Amino acid sequence: MSSTTSETTESTTAVLVQAHTTKPSTPAITEIEAPAKKSESALKSFISGGVGGACAVLVGHPLDLVKVRMQTGAASSNSVFGMLSTTMRTEGIRGLYRGVSAPLTAVSPMFAVSFWSYDMGQRMVKAYGQNGMTEEEKAAPYTLSMGEICVAGAFSAIPTTAIMAPSERIKCLLQVQANEVEKGGKARYSGMFDCAKTLLKEGGLASLYKGTGATLLRDIPGTVAYFGTYELTKRELMKIQGIDPNNGQLSLSAVLFAGGFAGMACWGIGIPADVLKSRLQTAPEGKYSGIYDVYKALIKEEGYAGLFKGMRPALIRAFPANAACFLGVEVAKKVLGFMG
């Protein structure tokens, strides 16, 4: 009896000891949810885009000058490098950067708005893609499809046009005016602000925003190609280099290549609309009733080849200018990493 009692007591003690020792271990095996990856700061996207825009202008403006003069019939040569050489010889380095104040003043905020809008577009398509998901599923990393990236890119063109259209109007007028002065003509505008003031005085906001529809016609498909090509090229380069797309970062040389290639894709698609925009924005008031009228006149006078005027300087400019742009954006994002 005592033996049985002793065995029962020992058995009970063992069970209690086991229960006591195993109970505290329960929280240790409880899964802790990892916090969802925070979206990049919208302010950081805005500032980084502005830095990238300034880099793009400083690198690409001389070739943009050649492009506009070719498109508007103000070119003194059919050769890109011939025009650069002539401009440098007759006007000096200041001639190569003729009209740069307008894009430099507007392009930094314009690119800031563009990259901010692209960030907002990404958030919107991500929210749409996560619609109906559980909280656990939303906490998992979400990789945007190429279609979603293209939609975000298209969205970015809309708010950017509010800055782009008047800036392009002023820039084109100043660039064409410089060529007329070179031939002995008289300057109508003393600079960027005088040009803007004159346009507002003569035709109000409608004159300043002349060519807005043409700008959208160029920039919506252009930004689809721009951001889509950049992200696709980055992903492919990461695969080649064996880098995790969620955590890894490309080398600066790879960023330069992806950015340059994205710029060429953008202008390869956007150049016909850009030709129409440049003609419309630099034409005397009343010459054209709209972009379709410009198109009809251009095809009648120059054929379809006229739609691709300025393609060479645009593509030559696109690679270094946009390589510099995306490099500026990526470097700025690293510097501003404390912003989240």
Side-chain angles (χ1 to χ4, degrees), residues 85-170:
S85 177
T86 301
T87 304
M88 184 66 180
R89 186 175 63 254
T90 58
E91 302 176 55
I93 191 70
R94 290 184 64 183
L96 291 176
Y97 282 89
R98 184 79 62 185
V100 74
S101 55
L104 194 57
T105 302
V107 165
S108 287
M110 181 191 73
F111 269 76
V113 171
S114 178
F115 278 85
W116 171 82
S117 301
Y118 177 55
D119 182 64
M120 292 298 102
Q122 286 180 305
R123 295 184 190 204
M124 287 192 295
V125 295
K126 179 181 177 182
Y128 182 80
Q130 289 181 326
N131 187 36
M133 288 185 178
T134 63
E135 290 302 316
E136 291 77 10
E137 289 173 329
K138 288 181 180 179
Y142 186 91
T143 302
L144 295 175
S145 68
M146 287 310 303
E148 289 171 326
I149 286 170
C150 289
V151 170
F155 172 78
S156 73
I158 299 171
T160 307
T161 299
I163 301 173
M164 174 78 82
S167 169
E168 290 270 302
R169 169 95 153 119
I170 294 168

Side-chain angles (χ1 to χ4, degrees), residues 20-329:
H20 178 72
T21 56
T22 56
K23 188 174 180 180
S25 66
T26 305
I29 60 172
T30 302
E31 291 185 2
I32 301 173
E33 289 185 5
K37 187 178 178 181
K38 291 183 179 179
S39 298
E40 198 167 75
S41 165
L43 180 59
K44 183 166 77 172
S45 296
F46 184 86
I47 296 172
S48 300
V51 172
C55 292
V57 171
L58 293 174
V59 171
H61 187 76
L63 285 162
D64 185 68
L65 175 72
V66 173
K67 173 184 72 68
V68 171
R69 288 183 177 179
M70 280 187 166
Q71 289 176 342
T72 56
S76 57
S77 169
N78 288 325
S79 166
V80 174
F81 294 103
M83 281 194 67
L84 286 173
S85 177
T86 301
T87 304
M88 184 66 180
R89 186 175 63 254
T90 58
E91 302 176 55
I93 191 70
R94 290 184 64 183
L96 291 176
Y97 282 89
R98 184 79 62 185
V100 74
S101 55
L104 194 57
T105 302
V107 165
S108 287
M110 181 191 73
F111 269 76
V113 171
S114 178
F115 278 85
W116 171 82
S117 301
Y118 177 55
D119 182 64
M120 292 298 102
Q122 286 180 305
R123 295 184 190 204
M124 287 192 295
V125 295
K126 179 181 177 182
Y128 182 80
Q130 289 181 326
N131 187 36
M133 288 185 178
T134 63
E135 290 302 316
E136 291 77 10
E137 289 173 329
K138 288 181 180 179
Y142 186 91
T143 302
L144 295 175
S145 68
M146 287 310 303
E148 289 171 326
I149 286 170
C150 289
V151 170
F155 172 78
S156 73
I158 299 171
T160 307
T161 299
I163 301 173
M164 174 78 82
S167 169
E168 290 270 302
R169 169 95 153 119
I170 294 168
K171 180 200 72 175
C172 289
L173 286 171
L174 290 177
Q175 288 177 340
V176 172
Q177 173 184 271
N179 191 67
E180 292 172 353
V181 170
E182 184 186 335
K183 294 177 179 178
K186 187 179 179 181
R188 187 181 180 194
Y189 313 110
S190 61
M192 176 184 70
F193 293 108
D194 182 53
C195 182
K197 188 170 72 172
T198 303
L199 291 173
L200 285 170
K201 184 179 179 180
E202 293 178 349
L205 282 174
S207 178
L208 188 62
Y209 276 85
K210 185 178 180 180
T212 298
T215 304
L216 282 170
L217 187 63
R218 179 194 68 180
D219 287 354
I220 289 178
T223 50
V224 167
Y226 190 56
F227 289 110
T229 300
Y230 181 67
E231 297 294 346
L232 179 61
T233 305
K234 275 180 63 177
R235 289 182 185 184
E236 292 304 314
L237 288 173
M238 283 182 169
K239 285 181 185 177
I240 292 170
Q241 297 179 14
I243 299 172
D244 181 2
N246 292 318
N247 302 311
Q249 292 184 333
L250 283 172
S251 63
L252 292 183
S253 59
V255 170
L256 286 169
F257 177 79
F261 194 47
M264 293 184 74
C266 174
W267 281 103
I269 287 177
I271 200 70
D274 188 61
V275 172
L276 299 175
K277 180 195 71 65
S278 294
R279 295 284 178 100
L280 181 62
Q281 290 183 323
T282 58
E285 290 297 326
K287 183 175 181 179
Y288 301 115
S289 60
I291 189 170
Y292 184 62
D293 195 28
V294 180
Y295 171 79
K296 287 191 297 181
L298 178 69
I299 298 303
K300 183 179 179 180
E301 295 169 10
E302 302 175 43
Y304 289 102
L307 288 170
F308 296 92
K309 273 196 170 182
M311 174 71 85
R312 283 173 296 168
L315 292 182
I316 293 171
R317 166 189 173 273
F319 194 94
N322 290 284
C325 174
F326 277 103
L327 180 62
V329 169

